[in-house]
Amino acid sequence: GDAPSPATGVLLLSLACFAALAAAVALVETPALDRAIRDGLLALASPALVGFLEVANRAGDKHVLVPAVALFFLVFRRARERWWVWVVLMVAAPLLEGLLKELFERPRPEGGGLAFPSGHATAAAAFFGAVFYAAGALDSPRVRMAVRTLALVAVILVALARVVLRAHWPSDVLAGAALGLALASAAALMAGARYAPAEEG
């Protein structure tokens, strides 16, 4: 038979990561590692870094991601063939994240609201995960690598921003990233693994 899609591996790994974080948060109110990592990041947060991350943080904001989805379909021709899969992904991500927040009822480290998982991290990982998979259809290996690298960097920066901007614990953003990547991987599998250069398919 055919070799399993890389998306299958990412899906399973992401789900395992989310399950482990969810178990830790359910069993321990604030794991010591959470506090230690957060304290370390906040200690490194210079005014310049905070300013940079305030901008990067917008990559996980719905006001940026909604128009970005339109750009996604403009850039990735093959994604338009199964457009509904990617639209369902971008709708499902915030709905599922919201339900999980209500389920875990974990307070944020500062201020009001629920924390687990991070909505910004979930949305960013879902969208940029979709970009990562769709980039597989780009003909130029160099462009493909550049787009995929930028997509991963965007997810990391949004996750980092949510901790440095004091909105979340590290486990909140890791869980959000894992959830978003799991959803993006599921979408890629549902889209039928059609995201490879034409000469390979």
Side-chain angles (χ1 to χ4, degrees), residues 87-113:
V87 171
V88 168
L89 165 68
M90 296 312 296
V91 172
L95 288 177
L96 186 54
E97 163 261 316
L99 287 172
L100 288 165
K101 271 198 173 85
E102 295 294 335
L103 179 66
F104 284 92
E105 292 187 324
R106 187 190 202 188
R108 291 177 186 260
E110 296 179 26

Side-chain angles (χ1 to χ4, degrees), residues 98-139:
L99 287 172
L100 288 165
K101 271 198 173 85
E102 295 294 335
L103 179 66
F104 284 92
E105 292 187 324
R106 187 190 202 188
R108 291 177 186 260
E110 296 179 26
L114 300 174
F116 186 92
S118 161
H120 277 68
T122 302
F127 175 76
F128 290 106
V131 170
F132 183 93
Y133 286 117
L138 297 172
D139 291 326

Side-chain angles (χ1 to χ4, degrees), residues 13-42:
L13 189 63
S14 298
L15 288 175
C17 180
F18 181 86
L21 290 163
V25 167
L27 294 170
V28 185
E29 190 173 328
T30 306
L33 191 58
D34 246 350
R35 199 175 293 280
I37 294 172
R38 180 176 185 266
D39 289 348
L41 288 173
L42 292 180

